[in-house]
Amino acid sequence: GPTRSSLVWKDADTIVETSYAAGSDGKETVAMEIVRKRGAKATATAVAESIAPCVLWIDEIEKGFAAASEGGASSRVFGAFLTWLSEKQAPVFVVATANDVTRLPPGLLRRGRFDDLFFVDLPTHAERVEILAIHLRGRSRDPLQFDLEELATQAARLSGSELEQVVRHIMTQQYVALE
């Protein structure tokens, strides 16, 4: 299922009235042509610019740029991305998600790199109960047959997508128990 961060970028696509870089409105053909012509040298930024206006979503950006401070290829890629972010002319709306902002290079968080930064916290107890219920109903299970209050308490540090995995695990365990 979609995580909060993926829902945010999909909403951004609607807000800026454009297509997203993963390809919609037939623009994925243009993106695939760039990758075919440039091969491994094709970059996400080049693809995004070719199908602009679009939203470029970078999920878990800290994983891609964590090694930037160590020098080498990661540092060069990071530098090129920062330059592109500052100088881009194409209407590319960049949305990035991060699970651990402490791992991001400081240069990325400087004012002006991104228009705004948002913090989305883990779900509250009540939200965890509702998320569990949604995923149980989505699997044709009656949430009232489960102690969602207790499950939500035990799952205090889990994200929405992790709660979905809990429900999947429960369903698997129930299936195995029936055999």
Side-chain angles (χ1 to χ4, degrees):
T3 62
R4 283 186 188 191
S5 58
S6 64
L7 291 174
V8 167
W9 83 267
K10 287 178 183 175
D11 283 345
D13 178 51
T14 304
I15 292 166
V16 297
E17 298 176 352
T18 174
S19 61
Y20 55 91
S24 64
D25 300 332
K27 292 184 178 183
E28 65 274 5
T29 305
V30 174
M32 291 304 109
E33 184 64 17
I34 288 175
V35 172
R36 187 184 66 74
K37 285 182 178 177
R38 296 186 187 175
K41 293 180 182 175
T43 65
T45 55
V47 172
E49 285 185 347
S50 74
I51 63 173
C54 68
V55 174
L56 173 61
W57 176 40
I58 306 169
D59 195 22
E60 299 181 4
I61 193 169
E62 77 277 13
K63 291 182 180 175
F65 292 130
S69 61
E70 297 171 9
S74 293
S75 181
R76 286 190 299 279
V77 170
F78 177 66
F81 178 71
L82 288 183
T83 299
W84 175 82
L85 202 56
S86 298
E87 298 175 359
K88 68 181 171 59
Q89 297 297 310
V92 177
F93 186 80
V94 181
V95 178
T97 63
N99 292 327
D100 183 2
V101 294
T102 63
R103 292 183 53 208
L104 289 171
L108 189 61
L109 297 177
R110 251 185 232 126
R111 202 83 178 124
R113 301 287 192 206
F114 288 95
D115 291 331
D116 217 334
L117 301 175
F118 301 93
F119 174 73
V120 179
D121 207 349
L122 293 172
T124 64
H125 181 84
E127 291 168 335
R128 289 191 303 277
V129 168
E130 184 58 27
I131 291 167
L132 290 164
I134 287 168
H135 289 297
L136 285 165
R137 281 192 296 273
R139 288 167 177 74
S140 303
R141 298 293 189 272
D142 180 4
L144 298 175
Q145 301 300 312
F146 298 86
D147 187 353
L148 297 185
E149 291 292 329
E150 178 59 26
L151 281 172
T153 298
Q154 291 180 19
R157 301 297 307 152
L158 298 183
S159 68
S161 60
E162 290 168 327
L163 290 168
E164 180 183 13
Q165 295 307 311
V166 167
V167 171
R168 286 181 181 201
H169 180 73
I170 290 169
M171 297 298 98
T172 301
Q173 295 303 312
Q174 282 188 338
Y175 179 78
V176 169
L178 291 175
E179 289 192 347

mmCIF file of all heavy atoms in Angstrom, residues 142-177:
data_model
loop_
_atom_site.group_PDB
_atom_site.id
_atom_site.type_symbol
_atom_site.label_atom_id
_atom_site.label_comp_id
_atom_site.label_asym_id
_atom_site.label_seq_id
_atom_site.Cartn_x
_atom_site.Cartn_y
_atom_site.Cartn_z
ATOM 1 N N ASP A 142 -13.097 -8.643 9.613
ATOM 2 C CA ASP A 142 -13.825 -7.739 10.498
ATOM 3 C C ASP A 142 -12.872 -7.231 11.576
ATOM 4 O O ASP A 142 -12.411 -8.020 12.404
ATOM 5 C CB ASP A 142 -15.007 -8.475 11.135
ATOM 6 C CG ASP A 142 -15.817 -7.599 12.070
ATOM 7 O OD1 ASP A 142 -15.525 -6.390 12.185
ATOM 8 O OD2 ASP A 142 -16.757 -8.138 12.684
ATOM 9 N N PRO A 143 -12.570 -5.937 11.587
ATOM 10 C CA PRO A 143 -11.648 -5.395 12.594
ATOM 11 C C PRO A 143 -12.100 -5.638 14.034
ATOM 12 O O PRO A 143 -11.277 -5.705 14.936
ATOM 13 C CB PRO A 143 -11.626 -3.887 12.288
ATOM 14 C CG PRO A 143 -12.053 -3.778 10.871
ATOM 15 C CD PRO A 143 -13.005 -4.916 10.641
ATOM 16 N N LEU A 144 -13.402 -5.804 14.246
ATOM 17 C CA LEU A 144 -13.916 -6.050 15.601
ATOM 18 C C LEU A 144 -13.498 -7.412 16.139
ATOM 19 O O LEU A 144 -13.593 -7.662 17.348
ATOM 20 C CB LEU A 144 -15.442 -5.908 15.626
ATOM 21 C CG LEU A 144 -15.962 -4.508 15.257
ATOM 22 C CD1 LEU A 144 -17.487 -4.510 15.197
ATOM 23 C CD2 LEU A 144 -15.450 -3.460 16.223
ATOM 24 N N GLN A 145 -13.011 -8.281 15.269
ATOM 25 C CA GLN A 145 -12.546 -9.608 15.692
ATOM 26 C C GLN A 145 -11.099 -9.587 16.193
ATOM 27 O O GLN A 145 -10.558 -10.611 16.567
ATOM 28 C CB GLN A 145 -12.675 -10.608 14.530
ATOM 29 C CG GLN A 145 -14.080 -10.763 14.003
ATOM 30 C CD GLN A 145 -15.036 -11.252 15.084
ATOM 31 O OE1 GLN A 145 -14.744 -12.201 15.802
ATOM 32 N NE2 GLN A 145 -16.169 -10.576 15.214
ATOM 33 N N PHE A 146 -10.499 -8.411 16.200
ATOM 34 C CA PHE A 146 -9.107 -8.275 16.626
ATOM 35 C C PHE A 146 -9.014 -7.231 17.729
ATOM 36 O O PHE A 146 -9.798 -6.291 17.775
ATOM 37 C CB PHE A 146 -8.233 -7.827 15.439
ATOM 38 C CG PHE A 146 -8.211 -8.812 14.309
ATOM 39 C CD1 PHE A 146 -9.203 -8.789 13.330
ATOM 40 C CD2 PHE A 146 -7.216 -9.773 14.228
ATOM 41 C CE1 PHE A 146 -9.197 -9.698 12.286
ATOM 42 C CE2 PHE A 146 -7.196 -10.686 13.190
ATOM 43 C CZ PHE A 146 -8.192 -10.648 12.214
ATOM 44 N N ASP A 147 -8.046 -7.387 18.592
ATOM 45 C CA ASP A 147 -7.821 -6.409 19.664
ATOM 46 C C ASP A 147 -6.922 -5.301 19.116
ATOM 47 O O ASP A 147 -5.711 -5.284 19.350
ATOM 48 C CB ASP A 147 -7.184 -7.090 20.876
ATOM 49 C CG ASP A 147 -7.072 -6.166 22.089
ATOM 50 O OD1 ASP A 147 -7.370 -4.956 21.944
ATOM 51 O OD2 ASP A 147 -6.678 -6.653 23.155
ATOM 52 N N LEU A 148 -7.549 -4.393 18.364
ATOM 53 C CA LEU A 148 -6.787 -3.336 17.699
ATOM 54 C C LEU A 148 -6.147 -2.370 18.685
ATOM 55 O O LEU A 148 -5.071 -1.834 18.422
ATOM 56 C CB LEU A 148 -7.666 -2.582 16.707
ATOM 57 C CG LEU A 148 -8.221 -3.405 15.545
ATOM 58 C CD1 LEU A 148 -8.960 -2.504 14.576
ATOM 59 C CD2 LEU A 148 -7.115 -4.160 14.836
ATOM 60 N N GLU A 149 -6.781 -2.156 19.831
ATOM 61 C CA GLU A 149 -6.200 -1.272 20.844
ATOM 62 C C GLU A 149 -4.855 -1.826 21.322
ATOM 63 O O GLU A 149 -3.873 -1.090 21.409
ATOM 64 C CB GLU A 149 -7.160 -1.084 22.028
ATOM 65 C CG GLU A 149 -8.408 -0.298 21.705
ATOM 66 C CD GLU A 149 -8.120 1.162 21.400
ATOM 67 O OE1 GLU A 149 -7.156 1.733 21.943
ATOM 68 O OE2 GLU A 149 -8.874 1.747 20.599
ATOM 69 N N GLU A 150 -4.825 -3.123 21.590
ATOM 70 C CA GLU A 150 -3.581 -3.755 22.049
ATOM 71 C C GLU A 150 -2.533 -3.775 20.934
ATOM 72 O O GLU A 150 -1.358 -3.483 21.166
ATOM 73 C CB GLU A 150 -3.854 -5.172 22.554
ATOM 74 C CG GLU A 150 -2.605 -5.918 23.003
ATOM 75 C CD GLU A 150 -1.828 -5.234 24.126
ATOM 76 O OE1 GLU A 150 -2.425 -4.466 24.913
ATOM 77 O OE2 GLU A 150 -0.604 -5.455 24.216
ATOM 78 N N LEU A 151 -2.961 -4.121 19.727
ATOM 79 C CA LEU A 151 -2.024 -4.122 18.593
ATOM 80 C C LEU A 151 -1.439 -2.730 18.383
ATOM 81 O O LEU A 151 -0.229 -2.581 18.168
ATOM 82 C CB LEU A 151 -2.728 -4.574 17.316
ATOM 83 C CG LEU A 151 -2.937 -6.067 17.133
ATOM 84 C CD1 LEU A 151 -3.821 -6.325 15.917
ATOM 85 C CD2 LEU A 151 -1.613 -6.783 16.979
ATOM 86 N N ALA A 152 -2.283 -1.710 18.468
ATOM 87 C CA ALA A 152 -1.815 -0.329 18.269
ATOM 88 C C ALA A 152 -0.842 0.076 19.361
ATOM 89 O O ALA A 152 0.127 0.800 19.110
ATOM 90 C CB ALA A 152 -3.004 0.626 18.225
ATOM 91 N N THR A 153 -1.067 -0.374 20.571
ATOM 92 C CA THR A 153 -0.151 -0.074 21.676
ATOM 93 C C THR A 153 1.202 -0.732 21.439
ATOM 94 O O THR A 153 2.250 -0.105 21.611
ATOM 95 C CB THR A 153 -0.754 -0.545 23.021
ATOM 96 O OG1 THR A 153 -1.970 0.172 23.247
ATOM 97 C CG2 THR A 153 0.210 -0.313 24.170
ATOM 98 N N GLN A 154 1.176 -1.990 21.030
ATOM 99 C CA GLN A 154 2.430 -2.719 20.773
ATOM 100 C C GLN A 154 3.185 -2.156 19.561
ATOM 101 O O GLN A 154 4.400 -2.320 19.463
ATOM 102 C CB GLN A 154 2.143 -4.200 20.550
ATOM 103 C CG GLN A 154 1.679 -4.922 21.795
ATOM 104 C CD GLN A 154 1.398 -6.389 21.522
ATOM 105 O OE1 GLN A 154 1.855 -6.949 20.527
ATOM 106 N NE2 GLN A 154 0.650 -7.017 22.417
ATOM 107 N N ALA A 155 2.462 -1.498 18.667
ATOM 108 C CA ALA A 155 3.060 -1.003 17.426
ATOM 109 C C ALA A 155 3.355 0.494 17.493
ATOM 110 O O ALA A 155 3.344 1.176 16.465
ATOM 111 C CB ALA A 155 2.120 -1.317 16.270
ATOM 112 N N ALA A 156 3.662 0.996 18.662
ATOM 113 C CA ALA A 156 3.815 2.439 18.876
ATOM 114 C C ALA A 156 4.862 3.092 17.974
ATOM 115 O O ALA A 156 4.722 4.251 17.615
ATOM 116 C CB ALA A 156 4.141 2.722 20.338
ATOM 117 N N ARG A 157 5.896 2.409 17.583
ATOM 118 C CA ARG A 157 6.974 3.020 16.788
ATOM 119 C C ARG A 157 6.925 2.610 15.315
ATOM 120 O O ARG A 157 7.911 2.732 14.595
ATOM 121 C CB ARG A 157 8.339 2.637 17.371
ATOM 122 C CG ARG A 157 8.562 3.045 18.813
ATOM 123 C CD ARG A 157 8.556 4.531 19.100
ATOM 124 N NE ARG A 157 9.474 5.256 18.241
ATOM 125 C CZ ARG A 157 9.317 6.528 17.889
ATOM 126 N NH1 ARG A 157 8.306 7.210 18.327
ATOM 127 N NH2 ARG A 157 10.184 7.118 17.100
ATOM 128 N N LEU A 158 5.774 2.130 14.855
ATOM 129 C CA LEU A 158 5.673 1.675 13.472
ATOM 130 C C LEU A 158 4.999 2.711 12.584
ATOM 131 O O LEU A 158 4.096 3.421 13.015
ATOM 132 C CB LEU A 158 4.887 0.361 13.396
ATOM 133 C CG LEU A 158 5.483 -0.838 14.138
ATOM 134 C CD1 LEU A 158 4.622 -2.075 13.904
ATOM 135 C CD2 LEU A 158 6.921 -1.099 13.721
ATOM 136 N N SER A 159 5.435 2.740 11.338
ATOM 137 C CA SER A 159 4.834 3.625 10.337
ATOM 138 C C SER A 159 3.593 2.949 9.764
ATOM 139 O O SER A 159 3.332 1.760 10.018
ATOM 140 C CB SER A 159 5.833 3.887 9.215
ATOM 141 O OG SER A 159 6.059 2.696 8.487
ATOM 142 N N GLY A 160 2.856 3.677 8.943
ATOM 143 C CA GLY A 160 1.668 3.111 8.317
ATOM 144 C C GLY A 160 1.975 1.901 7.460
ATOM 145 O O GLY A 160 1.254 0.902 7.499
ATOM 146 N N SER A 161 3.045 1.959 6.678
ATOM 147 C CA SER A 161 3.392 0.817 5.826
ATOM 148 C C SER A 161 3.839 -0.380 6.670
ATOM 149 O O SER A 161 3.574 -1.531 6.304
ATOM 150 C CB SER A 161 4.459 1.197 4.802
ATOM 151 O OG SER A 161 5.632 1.629 5.432
ATOM 152 N N GLU A 162 4.479 -0.119 7.791
ATOM 153 C CA GLU A 162 4.871 -1.214 8.682
ATOM 154 C C GLU A 162 3.639 -1.845 9.341
ATOM 155 O O GLU A 162 3.593 -3.055 9.549
ATOM 156 C CB GLU A 162 5.850 -0.718 9.742
ATOM 157 C CG GLU A 162 7.208 -0.365 9.156
ATOM 158 C CD GLU A 162 8.104 0.402 10.116
ATOM 159 O OE1 GLU A 162 7.597 1.194 10.941
ATOM 160 O OE2 GLU A 162 9.329 0.191 10.032
ATOM 161 N N LEU A 163 2.630 -1.029 9.632
ATOM 162 C CA LEU A 163 1.381 -1.564 10.187
ATOM 163 C C LEU A 163 0.691 -2.470 9.164
ATOM 164 O O LEU A 163 0.117 -3.497 9.524
ATOM 165 C CB LEU A 163 0.449 -0.432 10.610
ATOM 166 C CG LEU A 163 0.910 0.350 11.840
ATOM 167 C CD1 LEU A 163 0.078 1.616 12.002
ATOM 168 C CD2 LEU A 163 0.851 -0.505 13.088
ATOM 169 N N GLU A 164 0.768 -2.087 7.902
ATOM 170 C CA GLU A 164 0.209 -2.945 6.864
ATOM 171 C C GLU A 164 0.914 -4.299 6.868
ATOM 172 O O GLU A 164 0.280 -5.346 6.712
ATOM 173 C CB GLU A 164 0.335 -2.297 5.490
ATOM 174 C CG GLU A 164 -0.239 -3.170 4.387
ATOM 175 C CD GLU A 164 -0.071 -2.584 3.009
ATOM 176 O OE1 GLU A 164 0.700 -1.629 2.839
ATOM 177 O OE2 GLU A 164 -0.736 -3.098 2.087
ATOM 178 N N GLN A 165 2.221 -4.301 7.058
ATOM 179 C CA GLN A 165 2.966 -5.553 7.110
ATOM 180 C C GLN A 165 2.556 -6.398 8.317
ATOM 181 O O GLN A 165 2.534 -7.629 8.241
ATOM 182 C CB GLN A 165 4.475 -5.286 7.123
ATOM 183 C CG GLN A 165 4.986 -4.653 5.843
ATOM 184 C CD GLN A 165 4.591 -5.438 4.610
ATOM 185 O OE1 GLN A 165 4.755 -6.647 4.538
ATOM 186 N NE2 GLN A 165 4.030 -4.738 3.636
ATOM 187 N N VAL A 166 2.223 -5.744 9.425
ATOM 188 C CA VAL A 166 1.720 -6.462 10.607
ATOM 189 C C VAL A 166 0.436 -7.195 10.237
ATOM 190 O O VAL A 166 0.262 -8.377 10.570
ATOM 191 C CB VAL A 166 1.479 -5.493 11.799
ATOM 192 C CG1 VAL A 166 0.666 -6.160 12.895
ATOM 193 C CG2 VAL A 166 2.809 -4.989 12.342
ATOM 194 N N VAL A 167 -0.464 -6.513 9.551
ATOM 195 C CA VAL A 167 -1.727 -7.135 9.144
ATOM 196 C C VAL A 167 -1.455 -8.298 8.198
ATOM 197 O O VAL A 167 -2.042 -9.376 8.338
ATOM 198 C CB VAL A 167 -2.678 -6.097 8.512
ATOM 199 C CG1 VAL A 167 -3.892 -6.777 7.883
ATOM 200 C CG2 VAL A 167 -3.114 -5.082 9.554
ATOM 201 N N ARG A 168 -0.557 -8.118 7.256
ATOM 202 C CA ARG A 168 -0.208 -9.222 6.346
ATOM 203 C C ARG A 168 0.334 -10.410 7.121
ATOM 204 O O ARG A 168 0.006 -11.558 6.826
ATOM 205 C CB ARG A 168 0.823 -8.756 5.322
ATOM 206 C CG ARG A 168 0.262 -7.867 4.276
ATOM 207 C CD ARG A 168 1.333 -7.474 3.279
ATOM 208 N NE ARG A 168 0.760 -6.596 2.289
ATOM 209 C CZ ARG A 168 1.282 -6.407 1.098
ATOM 210 N NH1 ARG A 168 2.393 -7.013 0.757
ATOM 211 N NH2 ARG A 168 0.698 -5.587 0.248
ATOM 212 N N HIS A 169 1.169 -10.136 8.108
ATOM 213 C CA HIS A 169 1.725 -11.208 8.936
ATOM 214 C C HIS A 169 0.617 -11.939 9.694
ATOM 215 O O HIS A 169 0.604 -13.170 9.753
ATOM 216 C CB HIS A 169 2.770 -10.635 9.903
ATOM 217 C CG HIS A 169 3.378 -11.660 10.786
ATOM 218 N ND1 HIS A 169 4.293 -12.585 10.327
ATOM 219 C CD2 HIS A 169 3.190 -11.934 12.109
ATOM 220 C CE1 HIS A 169 4.650 -13.377 11.319
ATOM 221 N NE2 HIS A 169 3.992 -13.004 12.412
ATOM 222 N N ILE A 170 -0.306 -11.177 10.257
ATOM 223 C CA ILE A 170 -1.431 -11.777 10.978
ATOM 224 C C ILE A 170 -2.233 -12.684 10.043
ATOM 225 O O ILE A 170 -2.595 -13.808 10.403
ATOM 226 C CB ILE A 170 -2.339 -10.683 11.595
ATOM 227 C CG1 ILE A 170 -1.625 -9.987 12.745
ATOM 228 C CG2 ILE A 170 -3.673 -11.278 12.067
ATOM 229 C CD1 ILE A 170 -2.336 -8.729 13.234
ATOM 230 N N MET A 171 -2.488 -12.205 8.830
ATOM 231 C CA MET A 171 -3.257 -12.997 7.865
ATOM 232 C C MET A 171 -2.504 -14.275 7.498
ATOM 233 O O MET A 171 -3.100 -15.347 7.395
ATOM 234 C CB MET A 171 -3.551 -12.186 6.600
ATOM 235 C CG MET A 171 -4.424 -10.956 6.817
ATOM 236 S SD MET A 171 -6.068 -11.335 7.441
ATOM 237 C CE MET A 171 -5.849 -11.027 9.183
ATOM 238 N N THR A 172 -1.207 -14.175 7.326
ATOM 239 C CA THR A 172 -0.394 -15.355 7.010
ATOM 240 C C THR A 172 -0.440 -16.356 8.152
ATOM 241 O O THR A 172 -0.603 -17.559 7.943
ATOM 242 C CB THR A 172 1.064 -14.947 6.725
ATOM 243 O OG1 THR A 172 1.070 -14.026 5.630
ATOM 244 C CG2 THR A 172 1.921 -16.156 6.371
ATOM 245 N N GLN A 173 -0.305 -15.860 9.388
ATOM 246 C CA GLN A 173 -0.338 -16.730 10.561
ATOM 247 C C GLN A 173 -1.699 -17.420 10.682
ATOM 248 O O GLN A 173 -1.767 -18.604 11.019
ATOM 249 C CB GLN A 173 -0.020 -15.954 11.833
ATOM 250 C CG GLN A 173 1.400 -15.413 11.879
ATOM 251 C CD GLN A 173 2.436 -16.513 11.714
ATOM 252 O OE1 GLN A 173 2.386 -17.552 12.343
ATOM 253 N NE2 GLN A 173 3.384 -16.284 10.818
ATOM 254 N N GLN A 174 -2.775 -16.706 10.417
ATOM 255 C CA GLN A 174 -4.107 -17.311 10.477
ATOM 256 C C GLN A 174 -4.255 -18.377 9.409
ATOM 257 O O GLN A 174 -4.815 -19.445 9.653
ATOM 258 C CB GLN A 174 -5.196 -16.252 10.301
ATOM 259 C CG GLN A 174 -5.444 -15.436 11.528
ATOM 260 C CD GLN A 174 -6.657 -14.529 11.358
ATOM 261 O OE1 GLN A 174 -7.062 -14.203 10.246
ATOM 262 N NE2 GLN A 174 -7.227 -14.143 12.475
ATOM 263 N N TYR A 175 -3.717 -18.103 8.211
ATOM 264 C CA TYR A 175 -3.791 -19.075 7.131
ATOM 265 C C TYR A 175 -3.009 -20.341 7.485
ATOM 266 O O TYR A 175 -3.484 -21.455 7.306
ATOM 267 C CB TYR A 175 -3.257 -18.464 5.834
ATOM 268 C CG TYR A 175 -3.281 -19.417 4.672
ATOM 269 C CD1 TYR A 175 -4.478 -19.680 3.999
ATOM 270 C CD2 TYR A 175 -2.119 -20.061 4.251
ATOM 271 C CE1 TYR A 175 -4.509 -20.553 2.936
ATOM 272 C CE2 TYR A 175 -2.156 -20.949 3.179
ATOM 273 C CZ TYR A 175 -3.342 -21.184 2.539
ATOM 274 O OH TYR A 175 -3.362 -22.064 1.489
ATOM 275 N N VAL A 176 -1.818 -20.167 8.007
ATOM 276 C CA VAL A 176 -0.977 -21.304 8.391
ATOM 277 C C VAL A 176 -1.658 -22.106 9.498
ATOM 278 O O VAL A 176 -1.636 -23.334 9.484
ATOM 279 C CB VAL A 176 0.432 -20.831 8.827
ATOM 280 C CG1 VAL A 176 1.216 -21.952 9.464
ATOM 281 C CG2 VAL A 176 1.180 -20.250 7.627
ATOM 282 N N ALA A 177 -2.292 -21.430 10.436
ATOM 283 C CA ALA A 177 -2.963 -22.113 11.542
ATOM 284 C C ALA A 177 -4.141 -22.945 11.062
ATOM 285 O O ALA A 177 -4.493 -23.951 11.689
ATOM 286 C CB ALA A 177 -3.436 -21.083 12.578
#
